[in-house]
């Protein structure tokens, strides 16, 4: 406007209006200053707006992040709430189960207490019965001991009588032999004096032959009787030994039983017992034992020289199921599996090789007829390695099932 007023040709015609123009110019100056200020303010406002926009954008981004985080948190809260509900439900179920289990356990504990009390009563009753049985067994053992003593005394008397009878027979036989020798001497003298009479010599010879045959018969009969008496004496001694062993076993059984199904038996003087088995067919009996507490009564029997077709070449053994006190309470028929082991007495235990046999033992239930399970071990096996040492052998029995 000022530039126009300076150059405008009509500026002279408008002198009267200078005052108005000056006023307008003042206004224009003010307006120009206001415009510049407005521009500056506009620039400032634009900068502020740009800053506000950037801040708003940043705020929007942060809000979006916050919205996303809030959504995630809501989802997590939902999951946590679901898990909490499920956990509370599971806890309630567990609480119910715990209460039921507690009640069940309490009932079971009460029943167990009653059962324990019942078992204690039964145990006390069984203890009293066992004590009474032990007393009876002790009485029987004492009676058996007295009977054995009586039988032993009788046996000693019989042995003395047999020895006297044998000595008497030997004396009579000796006297008869002396008589025969005298008779033979007389016959020889008669033969020398009466060589001419052949009939007399023939009759004397026949008489002499008859007497000699009678003497031979008497000697044979005496030898047979002595052999029978010797066998009877050995059998009687064996019976006494068995009775003593049985008494010892009864005493052991009356006190403490071997109830672990495990037995180790040492056979001493093997050579002597083998010779006795060859001569008298003796049987060796082990101590009685049981497969478990209040179980089957078991015993190992051994024929050192064998029996039947195995005689003379093998040792025959069998595991017997005997009649026991608790048979009515056990399962029948009886079926057991056991290992028979001949222990190797090698000096180095790491080099030991035991001889093992597995057998099955059975016994019927109706009338307790037992079927023995025999097994054989050759003598050459027994004499090999270190199964025999110091004339002793160890036999082990393990009941498997």
């Amino acid at each position: 406007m000022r530039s126009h007023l300076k150059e405008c040709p009509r500026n002279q015609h408008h002198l009267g209006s200078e005052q108005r123009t000056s006023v307008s110019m003042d206004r224009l100056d003010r307006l120009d200053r206001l415009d510049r200020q407005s521009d500056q303010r506009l620039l400032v406002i634009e900068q502020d707006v740009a800053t506000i926009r950037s801040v708003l954008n940043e705020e929007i981004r942060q809000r979006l992040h916050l919205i996303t985080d809030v959504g995630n948190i809501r989802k997590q809260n939902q999951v946590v709430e679901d898990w909490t509900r499920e956990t509370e439900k599971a806890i309630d179920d567990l609480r119910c189960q715990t209460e039921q289990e507690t009640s069940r356990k309490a009932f079971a504990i009460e029943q167990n207490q009653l059962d324990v009390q019942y078992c204690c009563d039964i145990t006390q009753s069984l203890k009293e019965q066992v004590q009474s049985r032990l007393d009876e067994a002790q009485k029987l053992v004492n009676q058996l001991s007295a009977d054995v003593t009586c039988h032993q005394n009788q046996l000693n008397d019989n042995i003395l009588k047999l020895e006297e009878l044998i000595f008497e027979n030997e004396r009579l036989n000796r006297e008869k032999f002396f008589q025969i020798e005298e008779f033979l001497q007389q016959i020889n003298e008669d033969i020398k004096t009466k060589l001419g009479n052949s009939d007399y010599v023939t009759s004397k010879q026949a008489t002499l032959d008859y007497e000699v045959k009678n003497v031979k018969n008497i000697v044979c009969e005496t030898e047979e009787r002595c052999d029978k008496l010797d066998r009877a004496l050995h059998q009687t001694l064996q019976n006494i030994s068995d009775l003593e062993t049985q008494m010892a076993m009864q005493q052991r059984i009356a006190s403490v039983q071997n109830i672990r199904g495990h037995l180790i038996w040492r056979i001493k003087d093997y050579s002597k017992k083998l010779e006795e088995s060859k001569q008298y067919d003796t049987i060796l009996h082990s101590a009685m034992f049981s497969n478990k507490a209040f179980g089957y009564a078991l015993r190992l029997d051994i024929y050192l020289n064998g029996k039947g077709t195995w005689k003379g070449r093998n040792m025959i053994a069998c595991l017997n199921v005997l009649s026991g006190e608790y048979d009515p309470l056990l399962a029948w028929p009886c079926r057991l599996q056991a290992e028979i082991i001949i222990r190797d007495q090698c000096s180095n235990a790491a080099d030991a090789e035991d001889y093992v046999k597995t057998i099955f033992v059975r016994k019927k239930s109706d009338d307790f007829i037992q079927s023995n399970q025999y097994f054989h071990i050759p003598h050459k096996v027994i004499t090999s390695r270190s199964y025999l040492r110091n004339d002793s052998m160890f036999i082990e029995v393990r009941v498997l099932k």
Side-chain angles (χ1 to χ4, degrees):
M1 180 64 68
R2 288 190 301 270
S3 300
H4 177 71
L5 289 175
K6 289 178 181 182
E7 295 177 357
C8 180
R10 294 181 182 180
N11 188 19
Q12 296 177 0
H13 299 287
H14 297 286
L15 294 176
S17 61
E18 284 182 358
Q19 293 179 352
R20 293 191 297 271
T21 303
S22 60
V23 174
S24 297
M25 289 298 294
D26 293 333
R27 289 181 178 176
L28 288 172
D29 289 335
R30 286 195 301 271
L31 288 174
D32 189 14
R33 285 195 299 271
L34 289 174
D35 288 338
R36 285 195 298 270
Q37 292 178 359
S38 297
D39 291 336
Q40 291 178 357
R41 290 180 180 177
L42 183 60
L43 290 173
V44 173
I45 291 171
E46 287 180 354
Q47 291 177 357
D48 293 338
V49 168
T51 304
I52 290 170
R53 283 180 179 176
S54 62
V55 171
L56 287 175
N57 291 330
E58 184 66 24
E59 183 70 19
I60 289 170
R61 284 194 299 272
Q62 291 181 0
R63 286 187 179 182
L64 290 175
H65 287 299
L66 290 173
I67 290 170
T68 304
D69 294 338
V70 169
N72 293 329
I73 291 171
R74 286 180 179 176
K75 290 181 181 179
Q76 292 178 359
N77 289 333
Q78 185 66 32
V79 171
V80 170
E81 290 177 357
D82 295 338
W83 181 80
T84 304
R85 285 195 298 271
E86 293 177 356
T87 305
E88 290 178 353
K89 184 177 179 181
I91 290 173
D92 293 336
D93 294 337
L94 287 174
R95 189 179 292 109
C96 294
Q97 292 178 2
T98 304
E99 292 176 355
Q100 294 176 358
E101 188 68 22
T102 303
S103 61
R104 191 181 301 110
K105 290 291 184 180
F107 180 75
I109 290 170
E110 186 178 357
Q111 292 295 324
N112 289 331
Q113 290 177 353
L114 294 176
D115 294 337
V116 168
Q117 184 64 34
Y118 179 70
C119 291
C120 291
D121 296 338
I122 292 179
T123 304
Q124 185 65 28
S125 177
L126 289 174
K127 188 175 181 180
E128 293 175 356
Q129 293 179 5
V130 168
Q131 187 63 36
S132 63
R133 294 282 183 87
L134 289 176
D135 295 337
E136 293 177 358
Q138 187 65 34
K139 292 180 181 178
L140 291 175
V141 167
N142 295 332
Q143 183 66 31
L144 185 61
S145 178
D147 294 339
V148 168
T149 304
C150 181
H151 287 302
Q152 191 169 4
N153 294 329
Q154 292 179 0
L155 180 62
N156 293 329
D157 296 337
N158 292 330
I159 291 171
L160 293 175
K161 290 180 182 179
L162 287 173
E163 289 178 352
E164 292 176 357
L165 181 61
I166 290 171
F167 291 151
E168 183 66 23
N169 288 329
E170 289 180 353
R171 186 180 63 78
L172 293 175
N173 291 330
R174 193 179 297 110
E175 290 178 356
K176 287 184 179 180
F177 278 119
F178 290 153
Q179 291 177 2
I180 289 170
E181 288 180 356
E182 293 176 356
F183 183 73
L184 289 174
Q185 289 178 0
Q186 291 177 2
I187 292 299
N188 290 328
E189 291 176 358
D190 292 337
I191 289 172
K192 290 178 181 179
T193 56
K194 298 179 181 180
L195 290 174
N197 192 354
S198 61
D199 294 333
Y200 180 76
V201 173
T202 304
S203 62
K204 285 291 184 179
Q205 185 69 32
T207 304
L208 181 61
D209 292 338
Y210 180 74
E211 291 291 336
V212 169
K213 288 181 179 178
N214 288 333
V215 171
K216 287 182 178 180
N217 291 330
I218 291 171
V219 170
C220 291
E221 290 176 358
T222 305
E223 289 179 352
E224 290 178 357
R225 290 179 63 187
C226 289
D227 188 35
K228 289 180 180 179
L229 289 173
D230 191 16
R231 287 180 177 273
L233 178 60
H234 186 275
Q235 186 65 34
T236 305
L237 292 174
Q238 182 68 29
N239 292 334
I240 290 175
S241 177
D242 291 340
L243 285 173
E244 291 176 351
T245 305
Q246 189 69 22
M247 285 178 58
M249 285 191 296
Q250 290 294 336
Q251 290 176 354
R252 288 197 298 272
I253 290 171
S255 59
V256 177
Q257 294 192 29
N258 182 356
I259 58 174
R260 299 184 301 274
H262 186 201
L263 172 71
I264 297 180
W265 180 18
R266 181 181 184 183
I267 300 177
K268 299 180 180 179
D269 301 327
Y270 174 83
S271 302
K272 179 181 177 182
K273 292 177 180 178
L274 180 60
E275 291 299 326
E276 291 179 355
S277 178
K278 290 179 179 179
Q279 188 174 0
Y280 302 108
D281 294 332
T282 56
I283 307 173
L284 301 181
H285 304 290
S286 74
M288 293 177 62
F289 65 103
S290 179
N291 63 320
K292 61 180 181 179
F294 310 108
Y296 301 103
L298 304 174
R299 187 184 68 192
L300 185 66
D301 298 338
I302 292 181
Y303 302 81
L304 287 180
N305 195 43
K307 62 181 295 187
T309 57
W310 304 99
K311 192 172 183 179
R313 296 178 291 112
N314 300 272
M315 180 184 78
I316 301 296
C318 62
L319 186 61
N320 285 333
V321 181
L322 306 178
S323 297
E325 291 291 330
Y326 310 104
D327 287 346
L329 304 178
L330 300 174
W332 298 97
C334 168
R335 293 184 178 90
L336 298 176
Q337 181 180 355
E339 281 185 350
I340 309 298
I341 305 168
I342 297 182
R343 300 292 295 270
D344 188 358
Q345 304 176 52
C346 182
S347 300
N348 189 1
D351 297 333
E353 295 181 5
D354 298 336
Y355 187 85
V356 183
K357 282 269 190 177
T358 301
I359 62 171
F360 295 90
V361 183
R362 298 177 179 87
K363 183 176 179 182
K364 297 182 180 179
S365 60
D366 47 5
D367 52 358
F368 300 126
I369 298 174
Q370 64 184 32
S371 58
N372 297 331
Q373 177 66 43
Y374 291 92
F375 62 94
H376 70 281
I377 301 174
H379 286 162
K380 61 182 181 181
V381 172
I382 298 175
T383 55
S384 64
R385 297 189 62 82
S386 299
Y387 298 128
L388 278 177
R389 194 169 185 179
N390 298 326
D391 204 25
S392 297
M393 179 173 58
F394 286 91
I395 298 180
E396 184 176 1
V397 182
R398 291 181 180 273
V399 179
L400 302 178
K401 59 181 179 178

